[in-house]
Amino acid sequence: MKYMIMLYGSQQDYDVLSGRPTAKPAMSGVEIAAMHEYMESFHKRLADSGELVDAQGLSAPVHARRIRLDNRVPVVTDGPYPETQEVLAGYTIVECASIDRAIEIAAGLVNPDADGEYVDVRPIIDGIADLEL
Amino acid sequence: MPDPDVEDLLRPLAPQVLGAVIRRYGHFDLAEDATQEALLAAATQWPVAGIPDNPRGWLITVAGRRLTDLLRSDHARQRREATVARWARPDQMLAPAADRPPESDDTLILLFRCCHPALSPASQIALTLRAVGGLTTAEIARAFLVPEATMTRRISRAKQRIKESGLPFRLPPPAERAERLGAVLHVLYLIFTEGYASTSGPNLQRTELAAEAIRLTRTVHALLPDDGEITGLLALLLLTDARRPARTGPAGELIPMAEQDRGRWNADYIAEGLALVSEVLPRGPTGPYQLQAAIAALHDEAPSTEATDWPQIVALYELLLDLTENPMVALNHAVAVAMAGGPQAGLDLVGKLQHDERLAHDHRLHAVRAHLLELAGDHRAARESYLAAAELTMSRPQQRYLYGRAIRLADLPATETTEATEDS
């Protein structure tokens, strides 16, 4: 069974990471290195246990483009999100024995020092059979 | 009318479907309801529309969709509950998935879960029959002669407790497994005895419960064929159930083993039970179910009460007494001693047991004493004990049997003897 673990962040959170001055204090280089190291070893262990399918981080929300159709003509909006809106920042897809195991893995992706941070776990649809009947 | 072919197909699928739904989505309590509804849909649709190519897949899909509906109405009705995920301890978060089990283990995981020590035996039994046996609440309520509303409450309380326990869907850790398996076997045994010797109500046997207990025990035996006690329990159930056709008369009355027509015993069950016993006993270590199976085997092999190997049965009961503190075992031991060495030896042992609080108000103690007194020729005392036993039992056929013995003794001269049995 496959599950997607979704991580969220706002443009402001990305700014904290990049050291840009905002309302929140910026992270130090040492803190950022520690975080990268943690994520790397975390996913390495997932790969070793055979449960990692894919993991990707998304670039800052400011780079997002929103595409609509206006009279069937594509119209593109740059940076559609407000500064503080939490949007998808990255995901880890795992294939594991049960949702219980997926939850266990997901708990390792929440920063224990960031109050109120969360991730979501959602079962991935196996195939068209899941939607039929 | 339920279609028997569809029923036979659905029942073994029930725990597999529930296991798959819980693995994928969690929510034990609602997943169980959703699976029941999928089974019900299959039971009504398949006989008409035909059985789908992949019955298991059909049931999982329907149960999954039903779970979605149930979750939506559940979310709408009450505020979201935050469950503390107790198993997500940061230090073990990334333990390799060594426990990723084959799906066939889902039935076992469900059994362990339904027989969780936080539940009372009555709840364990009800939940096992529903979640693993695939019986509906109405069927379980009928089998236990309680109103359906009572059984519904019992089952939903049990599911709530399991939900609160917050345990992940996996086998218990190896250190706990033996003890938890003991609880599973006990529940299967209780389901069987409830069906075989009903503790209350007008019918002596509720065969569907006994048959269900044997079916579930067979399933567990197939999953864990090397476990001696599971093999022992399966043998015990088969060897006991083998006598069922001869155990009641045409009017539903109880016939004690000494008077049963042994030609009516189920020869297939006896052969299967004996084969299991002779396969498992040499393996050791010998647990209580294996010993009881060995005792049942000696009864089933004997052509008559007189030709039964009573000294061997006494020896087996003594081994059993070393393992368990069960007063019923002591009582059966007393009967075997009487059959091997005369009624007085048995009566001496029964005399020691009557101060045991667990037995003092049990009809079986008085029934055994009555039989042994009758065997010893003390008809007046025997009659009193039969009457005392009849007052204490809740089962009407047993009452009729015991009153019948008491009435018969009133007409007998003081020297004639009849045979005692251990089966009343």
Side-chain angles (χ1 to χ4, degrees):
Chain A
M1 269 149 284
K2 292 198 184 85
Y3 299 89
M4 180 185 261
I5 304 165
M6 291 177 288
L7 293 72
Y8 302 96
S10 63
Q11 182 57 49
Q12 208 173 57
D13 294 326
Y14 276 80
D15 291 343
V16 166
L17 277 174
S18 68
R20 190 166 180 260
T22 61
K24 288 189 195 170
M27 272 172 91
S28 72
V30 175
E31 286 170 326
I32 289 168
M35 189 191 82
H36 285 311
E37 197 190 325
Y38 175 80
M39 290 302 263
E40 204 178 307
S41 74
F42 180 93
H43 285 94
K44 169 83 171 58
R45 278 181 289 166
L46 265 187
D48 289 346
S49 71
E51 294 166 310
L52 182 66
V53 176
D54 187 25
Q56 302 293 341
L58 303 180
S59 61
V62 74
H63 297 301
R65 311 288 179 93
R66 180 167 292 166
I67 294 92
R68 293 193 186 86
L69 295 185
D70 188 358
N71 281 326
R72 300 180 182 262
V73 179
V75 176
V76 179
T77 314
D78 280 354
Y81 311 118
E83 273 281 279
T84 53
Q85 185 181 338
E86 302 248 305
V87 298
L88 191 66
Y91 63 84
T92 296
I93 294 177
V94 293
E95 180 159 26
C96 58
S98 65
I99 194 165
D100 289 338
R101 173 65 182 157
I103 290 170
E104 188 174 77
I105 293 167
L109 287 168
V110 187
N111 179 2
D113 300 321
D115 207 25
E117 192 177 286
Y118 58 88
V119 300
D120 289 339
V121 178
R122 295 181 62 183
I124 292 177
I125 289 169
D126 267 338
I128 196 73
D130 260 15
L131 299 168
E132 278 175 349
L133 287 160
Chain B
M1 269 308 280
D3 182 321
D5 290 342
V6 169
E7 287 275 300
D8 285 352
L9 181 65
L10 287 177
R11 304 288 301 288
L13 285 174
Q16 295 178 34
V17 171
L18 177 55
V21 174
I22 294 177
R23 267 183 196 288
R24 190 168 163 87
Y25 301 110
H27 306 289
F28 174 81
D29 52 340
L30 293 178
E32 209 278 318
D33 288 333
T35 302
Q36 281 273 334
E37 291 183 31
L39 291 169
L40 192 67
T44 50
Q45 289 173 27
W46 293 1
V48 184
I51 292 166
D53 293 341
N54 177 0
R56 188 173 170 276
W58 190 98
L59 288 165
I60 292 171
T61 307
V62 172
R65 280 198 319 175
R66 190 67 198 119
L67 176 63
T68 309
D69 294 342
L70 290 172
L71 280 168
R72 291 187 63 190
S73 59
D74 208 45
H75 282 178
R77 200 171 55 237
Q78 45 185 262
R79 67 185 175 80
R80 309 275 196 288
E81 281 176 53
T83 315
V84 176
R86 288 184 207 174
W87 63 92
R89 291 224 310 274
D91 55 333
Q92 8 172 277
M93 222 133 49
L94 270 181
D99 72 329
R100 190 189 302 191
E103 291 211 351
S104 60
D105 280 4
D106 284 3
T107 303
L108 261 188
I109 299 174
L110 282 171
L111 268 170
F112 279 121
R113 190 169 265 226
C114 295
C115 303
H116 192 275
L119 304 178
S120 70
S123 301
Q124 292 174 338
I125 289 171
L127 201 55
T128 300
L129 287 172
R130 212 178 115 113
V132 187
L135 293 176
T136 64
T137 303
E139 286 171 323
I140 301 166
R142 214 178 311 127
F144 284 91
L145 305 173
V146 299
E148 191 176 339
T150 307
M151 194 50 82
T152 304
R153 275 198 302 278
R154 188 179 295 170
I155 288 172
S156 58
R157 268 201 308 267
K159 289 203 284 188
Q160 194 57 37
R161 290 207 79 142
I162 290 199
K163 192 180 170 193
E164 284 160 8
S165 76
L167 290 170
F169 190 75
R170 64 177 59 149
L171 288 169
E176 289 172 27
R177 219 165 282 177
E179 196 185 331
R180 297 286 305 278
L181 190 60
V184 171
L185 295 188
H186 186 59
V187 164
L188 295 173
Y189 180 75
L190 289 178
I191 293 172
F192 178 82
T193 48
E194 187 60 33
Y196 185 75
S198 308
T199 51
S200 58
N203 297 317
L204 192 65
Q205 298 170 5
R206 294 199 294 276
T207 49
E208 71 272 33
L209 279 182
E212 184 61 16
I214 290 175
R215 188 182 75 82
L216 291 175
T217 309
R218 269 192 208 286
T219 307
V220 181
H221 176 60
L223 291 170
L224 299 170
D226 296 330
D227 186 286
E229 277 297 85
I230 297 172
T231 310
L233 177 63
L234 180 57
L236 172 63
L237 301 190
L238 290 168
L239 292 167
T240 307
D241 201 53
R243 295 178 219 136
R244 183 165 46 80
R247 193 167 172 263
T248 44
E253 74 275 18
L254 179 74
I255 301 177
M257 205 200 297
E259 293 162 26
Q260 286 172 16
D261 174 2
R262 295 180 182 225
R264 296 180 61 206
W265 287 359
N266 183 333
D268 291 343
Y269 272 16
I270 292 175
E272 191 185 350
L274 290 177
L276 288 168
V277 167
S278 45
E279 171 211 317
V280 75
L281 280 184
R283 268 200 259 145
T286 309
Y289 290 118
Q290 291 167 64
L291 287 171
Q292 291 176 78
I295 292 166
L298 287 171
H299 282 302
D300 286 11
E301 280 178 316
S304 67
T305 303
E306 297 74 33
T308 303
D309 188 351
W310 290 105
Q312 182 65 27
I313 291 178
V314 170
L316 287 168
Y317 270 123
E318 277 160 11
L319 289 174
L320 196 51
L321 279 172
D322 288 341
L323 293 180
T324 66
E325 232 272 293
N326 183 334
M328 281 313 300
V329 172
L331 193 58
N332 286 332
H333 172 245
V335 174
V337 166
M339 296 309 289
Q344 194 51 51
L347 281 168
D348 291 347
L349 289 171
V350 172
K352 287 181 197 152
L353 289 172
Q354 65 191 354
H355 303 296
D356 189 317
E357 291 216 343
R358 292 167 297 180
L359 271 185
H361 300 291
D362 193 308
H363 74 276
R364 289 169 291 194
L365 175 95
H366 299 275
V368 164
R369 186 167 48 203
H371 275 297
L372 297 183
L373 286 167
E374 187 180 340
L375 211 55
D378 187 348
H379 290 162
R380 207 175 58 84
R383 189 165 177 272
E384 275 168 29
S385 286
Y386 276 127
L387 292 174
E391 299 288 330
L392 287 169
T393 182
M394 306 268 278
S395 154
R396 211 165 303 147
Q398 285 190 345
Q399 267 177 351
R400 276 200 298 273
Y401 167 78
L402 292 163
Y403 279 128
R405 299 297 281 208
I407 290 163
R408 202 174 67 168
L409 279 185
D411 305 330
L412 282 180
T415 49
E416 193 179 324
T417 62
T418 51
E419 283 143 11
T421 87
E422 59 92 45
D423 194 28
S424 58

